[in-house]
Amino acid sequence: MPDMSASASLAMTHLVSFAKEVDEDKVTPGVLGFIVFAAMALAVWALMKSMSRHMNKVDFTQAPDPEAEQAEQAEPETADTETSGQGKQKQG
């Protein structure tokens, strides 16, 4: 492997020698598995913290729609006359 750097080559020789010391009948994720898992856990924690900050910045109140306000103001007047008319019909 001519494209490997010297430090990567040195690290691989140490990992290979460490792997030979471990019992070959026992399979474990080892140090590399722990480091990968820990890095992923830290990344998820950082993403959740960032998402929490961004969600706290969101303003959930919606600006009122002027057309909807006009429609709501017009509806109670017509609704009041309809219910009062129905009430008079029931009494009479």
Side-chain angles (χ1 to χ4, degrees):
M1 294 181 199
D3 60 340
M4 289 183 68
S5 68
S7 60
S9 176
L10 182 63
M12 289 301 289
T13 57
H14 286 295
L15 289 175
V16 169
S17 64
F18 178 72
K20 288 180 182 176
E21 295 173 8
V22 178
D23 184 16
E24 293 180 8
D25 295 331
K26 190 186 294 184
V27 178
T28 61
V31 177
L32 183 62
F34 174 76
I35 291 170
V36 169
F37 181 78
M40 289 174 60
L42 285 173
V44 168
W45 177 79
L47 286 170
M48 293 295 289
K49 192 141 179 95
S50 173
M51 184 186 72
S52 176
R53 285 188 195 139
H54 282 86
M55 291 299 287
N56 286 336
K57 290 180 184 178
V58 173
D59 184 20
F60 286 106
T61 56
Q62 186 175 359
D65 188 16
E67 294 175 6
E69 285 183 9
Q70 292 174 357
E72 286 178 5
Q73 290 174 355
E75 284 178 11
E77 295 171 0
T78 57
D80 289 341
T81 56
E82 289 175 3
T83 55
S84 61
Q86 289 175 355
K88 290 179 182 177
Q89 289 175 355
K90 288 181 183 178
Q91 291 175 359

